[in-house]
Amino acid sequence: MKKPYLGCIPSLADPRDYSLSVVADVEYPAKFNVTDVPIYDQGNIGRCVMEALRSAPHAATGVEPGATFGYGYWRSHSRTGMIIDEACNGFVRDGIPPRSVDSADLEMPEAKYYAENHKERLLKAAEPYKGWQWARANSINEIKAVLWNSRHNPGSRCIVGLPYVRIHNGRWMVDGPADGHHAMAIVGWDDEKTSMDGVKGGFILRNSWGTKGSLSIPEGGYLWCAYDDILCERSVYALIPPAKAEPKPEPAPTPEPAPAPKDDDVVVVRTLRLTSPYMRGDDVKHAQERLIAHGYSIAADGVFGPATYKAVREFQAAKKLTIDGIVGKNTLAELDREPTVVPPAPDVDKELQADFMAYLYAQLGNIYCWGGNGEAASDSLIDIMENSSGNKRRAKAFLSKQKKAGVQNVKMYDCSGLISRWLQDHGLAKAKRNCDHLWAMCKAIAKSELQPCDLLFRGSGDKKTHVGVYMGNGMVIEARGRDYGVVIRPIDATKGYWQYFGRMMELQ
């Protein structure tokens, strides 16, 4: 058997990647295949990612794309092979030049030199082929939806990166030690396909090692992979063509309107986050409008700036989501739900409560230091305030971590100082208050009575040792410790952690 040239470099799954939204539930047939183009043969070049990717625009436009420009240009490394998401990013950004222009067949590093030397000419040739989208597919249903979408949007298909273990009776096997990874296009499914060991149902794979039946691949060049195996490494990428994928070198005098979306379309949902420059668009505006509907005071200007980022973090905290300021699949789903109305605590000073909560959210990411009361953080001040070499080292390490992460103007708090600083700034306390002082300012309540801005304590009946603030929806903000800083986490993250509960009379 000849040597297989494996050129797929695995990438780590990122939950913030673009995701798919299946617009409608469809009862799929037992078998389905997209309209395909002739299978390529990568020969002794490790460009399987490019071979799988370029089959999609080839099917969409009827024009065979080249392989070497993208193979040499869309990479962050100089190894043989490619990372699939890097190739997808490059394709979406640049388009892909036709084979008639990009006709070279080169391995690395020659492919990289070729791409750099001919960049201007090849990028210009790729311009008409822009407009695609990509997203990770995370379920069998999502993969089927992408392929089904090809009926009215030719070229819609998925790329999968699979470990190369062995091929048995035309089935790609993933169990056992792998010799590397190989990328292929998913071009169909067959619920009735059955292996000799009784495994039933799988996806049809388009290979890139030719059609002659070598390497245990059946004559014709197609294989299959069981449904249970296709997501073994969570490395499936959907390619969605533009509404009109064919190139138009010269604009028509009267452009035709884009076709109306079908009720079974697959939609790529952009992941929104704080970037430089800021992300803009109708999807940002939609997220802002949903934040406003949930009670957050921001402008729906379609620009994802710091105010939107802050509101997203607060919303995620309230909904017990991962607090990263990123509008991904889960956050968007919660935003699109109708807001729930939480009754306010009785006789609360609403403006004062809102100010207190906004202050607490703004402190997330600041550091813990013994006696900290809102001072600007520095190594020299930590040396003065901390009471042991170990605690000094841990506090400094956390400060360094925050600065490397780009957190500006880091401040220092201990658990009571986080609350005391706000009280002092609002004339509700004359000096820093410790946990016992704060407990004395409270009316004791039951855990079931907790409302936003109530305090939670650890300790004993006459000695309180730690304090946090209840933010609603089961979440607590606290200056947790030297290894964590100021955090927000579920009230029951550690069972039985909070022992006493109080309502500050100053907020009534």
Side-chain angles (χ1 to χ4, degrees):
M1 183 176 74
K2 72 177 184 179
K3 172 186 174 184
Y5 284 86
L6 305 170
C8 178
I9 302 173
S11 59
L12 296 176
D14 183 349
R16 299 170 299 179
D17 280 342
Y18 292 95
S19 57
L20 292 170
S21 174
V22 180
V23 176
D25 290 330
V26 178
E27 187 174 340
Y28 299 115
K31 298 181 181 181
F32 179 75
N33 287 284
V34 305
T35 300
D36 203 8
V37 293
I39 283 180
Y40 313 127
D41 189 343
Q42 67 188 75
N44 60 356
I45 302 175
R47 67 183 191 197
C48 57
V49 173
M50 282 301 304
E51 304 292 44
L53 183 149
R54 72 190 183 105
S55 70
H58 192 174
T61 66
V63 177
E64 181 180 355
T68 298
F69 175 67
Y71 185 53
Y73 190 59
W74 301 329
R75 59 179 55 243
S76 60
H77 57 89
S78 297
R79 293 174 286 174
T80 296
M82 294 190 78
I83 300 171
I84 298 180
D85 53 4
E86 287 191 348
C88 291
N89 283 332
F91 171 50
V92 168
R93 182 189 66 233
D94 300 327
I96 186 167
R99 179 80 170 170
S100 59
V101 179
D102 178 21
S103 58
D105 290 299
L106 301 171
E107 183 55 275
M108 287 295 293
E110 288 80 7
K112 186 174 182 180
Y113 300 146
Y114 162 84
E116 291 172 350
N117 291 333
H118 298 275
K119 178 173 69 173
E120 185 175 344
R121 174 176 64 88
L122 294 171
L123 283 175
K124 184 176 180 180
E127 277 282 340
Y129 301 89
K130 288 184 178 181
W132 287 66
Q133 295 178 296
W134 76 271
R136 283 193 187 258
N138 294 300
S139 70
I140 292 170
N141 184 64
E142 287 180 353
I143 298 171
K144 285 187 173 182
V146 172
L147 302 183
W148 192 242
N149 191 54
S150 69
R151 296 173 305 113
H152 53 78
N153 210 351
S156 183
R157 62 186 61 200
C158 292
I159 299 174
V160 60
L162 291 172
Y164 177 73
V165 179
R166 67 189 183 283
I167 301 168
H168 182 67
N169 289 333
R171 177 185 167 195
W172 191 276
M173 310 293 288
V174 300
D175 57 324
D179 291 329
H181 286 74
H182 188 55
M184 292 168 283
I186 304 176
V187 295
W189 71 78
D190 186 344
D191 293 345
E192 298 172 359
K193 179 78 76 173
T194 305
S195 68
M196 295 183 67
D197 57 353
V199 173
K200 188 172 182 179
F203 286 106
I204 309 302
L205 303 178
R206 169 196 167 89
N207 187 46
S208 58
W209 289 328
T211 61
K212 303 299 183 182
S214 59
L215 295 169
S216 301
I217 299 170
E219 189 82 21
Y222 291 92
L223 308 98
W224 72 286
C225 182
Y227 289 140
D228 289 343
D229 294 339
I230 202 75
L231 293 166
C232 65
E233 293 191 354
R234 296 286 170 182
S235 187
V236 180
Y237 303 78
L239 292 173
I240 311 296
K244 290 288 184 180
E246 66 272 11
K248 295 180 180 179
E250 297 181 5
T254 306
E256 296 182 8
K262 308 295 189 297
D263 61 0
D264 53 356
D265 266 343
V266 178
V267 177
V268 174
V269 182
R270 187 165 63 147
T271 303
L272 307 178
R273 65 192 80 186
L274 187 61
T275 59
S276 179
Y278 298 149
M279 297 180 77
R280 299 169 180 268
D282 290 340
D283 50 356
V284 176
K285 186 175 181 180
H286 171 75
Q288 291 169 328
E289 289 171 344
R290 295 309 301 162
L291 284 165
I292 293 169
H294 283 272
Y296 296 88
S297 299
I298 58 170
D301 56 5
V303 181
F304 198 107
T308 303
Y309 171 78
K310 180 175 180 290
V312 170
R313 286 177 60 90
E314 293 178 10
F315 175 80
Q316 289 170 328
K319 297 298 181 181
K320 302 181 184 179
L321 299 167
T322 300
I323 304 167
D324 54 13
I326 295 168
V327 182
K329 193 172 186 178
N330 295 336
T331 298
L332 184 60
E334 285 295 331
L335 282 171
D336 284 338
R337 296 182 194 277
E338 287 305 310
T340 55
V341 179
V342 179
D347 301 322
V348 160
D349 185 326
K350 294 182 180 179
E351 289 188 9
L352 205 58
Q353 182 194 56
D355 187 279
F356 186 36
M357 295 183 72
Y359 156 84
L360 290 166
Y361 278 119
Q363 308 316 311
L364 292 173
N366 281 320
I367 77 167
Y368 181 102
C369 182
W370 180 258
N373 193 33
E375 297 86 353
S378 67
D379 286 352
S380 59
L381 198 53
I382 289 173
D383 282 331
I384 295 171
M385 297 174 65
E386 279 293 357
N387 54 7
S388 75
S389 58
N391 288 339
K392 291 177 182 179
R393 182 174 62 254
R394 291 160 62 196
K396 289 179 182 179
F398 190 80
L399 173 59
S400 175
K401 176 182 175 183
Q402 295 304 86
K403 287 183 175 180
K404 287 180 180 178
V407 181
Q408 302 293 322
N409 304 316
V410 183
K411 296 180 180 179
M412 303 192 300
Y413 299 97
D414 62 14
C415 63
S416 61
L418 176 66
I419 301 163
S420 182
R421 178 71 270 158
W422 182 84
L423 293 171
Q424 293 169 83
D425 291 344
H426 287 74
L428 301 176
K430 294 181 179 179
K432 185 180 184 300
R433 305 283 82 188
N434 62 28
C435 291
D436 288 331
H437 296 143
L438 292 174
W439 175 248
M441 297 171 69
C442 291
K443 169 189 174 183
I445 59 173
K447 182 179 179 181
S448 60
E449 298 177 274
L450 279 171
Q451 295 282 351
C453 295
D454 289 341
L455 303 188
L456 310 89
F457 294 85
R458 285 180 54 76
S460 62
D462 58 357
K463 182 63 178 176
K464 304 298 185 289
T465 57
H466 188 63
V467 63
V469 184
Y470 186 65
M471 304 301 288
N473 292 293
M475 303 300 287
V476 176
I477 285 181
E478 59 181 308
R480 184 179 172 190
R482 296 165 186 86
D483 295 327
Y484 307 98
V486 181
V487 302
I488 184 167
R489 60 175 180 151
I491 187 173
D492 293 323
T494 303
K495 190 174 181 180
Y497 186 82
W498 300 109
Q499 301 161 307
Y500 299 89
F501 311 94
R503 180 160 298 149
M504 281 198 295
M505 305 308 295
E506 281 70 9
L507 292 180
Q508 302 305 302

